[in-house]
Amino acid sequence: MNKFPRFLSAAFALALLAGCASTVEVVDTRADNGPGTMGIDYRDFDNAAATAVQEMLDSGAVDHPRGGRYVLAISRMTNDTMQRIDTDQLVKKIRVALLRSGKVVTTTAVGLNGAEDEMVNRARELRQSREFKQETVAREGQMVAPDYSLSGKIIQRNHKLSDGRQQVEYYFQLTLTDINSGLAFWEGETPIVKRGSNKTVSW
């Protein structure tokens, strides 16, 4: 015999769901004063990307002498921390900020592992198809080669402090290389330092 009536089970489940729903909070990422973490969170990516882009723009490295825009290809971004970081999150913020500056456009047709957007090349296979109007298919010799390459590395260093706490240092390093000459026209490093309890893990 079931000693727990079905309607009570349903009521209990609804109450549980309502209780869980009440704990959800939508964070305003533009004014988030919530507690930080010893690891890297989205605010660190925002800070590192904004600082790097501003330094790059201020350096004049991406000021085109004829007022045009340079084409940028994204190279390798190395994660040398104890955390599993999606470096694309940092790169995307940098790309968006540079695009908005009006001085740089990024190419998705060139990448270390092939085109970032494979459709660039797939669409060119339509040149052999009789199903498509050939005047609408991308023509040969139209893609633009990159002027610059952006590479980078995220480094983590942990230190024990004399007061028993720990200090975790993150370094966001970026290099802008002129592809034609192979010379680095701009390099930047944004440190983010955190201090907290030794019991708090940074990964």
Side-chain angles (χ1 to χ4, degrees), residues 17-119:
L17 287 173
C20 293
S22 65
T23 62
V24 176
E25 177 186 2
V26 177
V27 176
D28 182 356
T29 57
R30 294 167 298 184
D32 182 8
N33 295 316
T37 68
M38 294 300 287
I40 299 176
D41 63 22
Y42 77 91
R43 289 171 292 194
D44 300 320
F45 280 119
D46 286 346
N47 182 15
T51 301
V53 169
Q54 193 57 54
E55 288 182 358
M56 191 186 305
L57 294 176
D58 290 345
S59 73
V62 291
D63 290 344
H64 200 289
R66 295 185 295 277
R69 296 199 286 183
Y70 285 112
V71 180
L72 176 72
I74 304 300
S75 185
R76 181 168 289 107
M77 291 288 168
T78 303
N79 172 25
D80 189 19
T81 73
M82 302 175 187
Q83 304 174 54
R84 185 173 182 180
I85 295 174
D86 183 359
T87 56
D88 286 346
Q89 189 177 355
L90 173 66
V91 171
K92 177 60 75 175
K93 291 181 182 299
I94 293 173
R95 290 172 60 159
V96 170
L98 286 175
L99 188 62
R100 288 176 177 171
S101 75
K103 296 184 176 182
V104 175
V105 294
T106 55
T107 175
T108 58
V110 179
L112 291 179
N113 299 314
E116 178 181 334
D117 186 348
E118 295 181 1
M119 189 56 68

Side-chain angles (χ1 to χ4, degrees), residues 121-159:
N121 292 322
R122 289 291 182 88
R124 281 164 168 74
E125 296 175 1
L126 302 179
R127 291 173 185 151
Q128 308 301 323
S129 174
R130 299 175 61 182
E131 298 296 331
F132 290 86
K133 295 179 179 178
Q134 288 303 299
E135 63 267 28
T136 66
V137 177
R139 292 172 293 164
E140 291 181 299
Q142 296 302 304
M143 287 198 286
V144 179
D147 303 297
Y148 284 119
S149 169
L150 183 68
S151 59
K153 191 173 187 179
I154 306 174
I155 299 173
Q156 176 180 348
R157 296 288 181 264
N158 287 24
H159 305 283

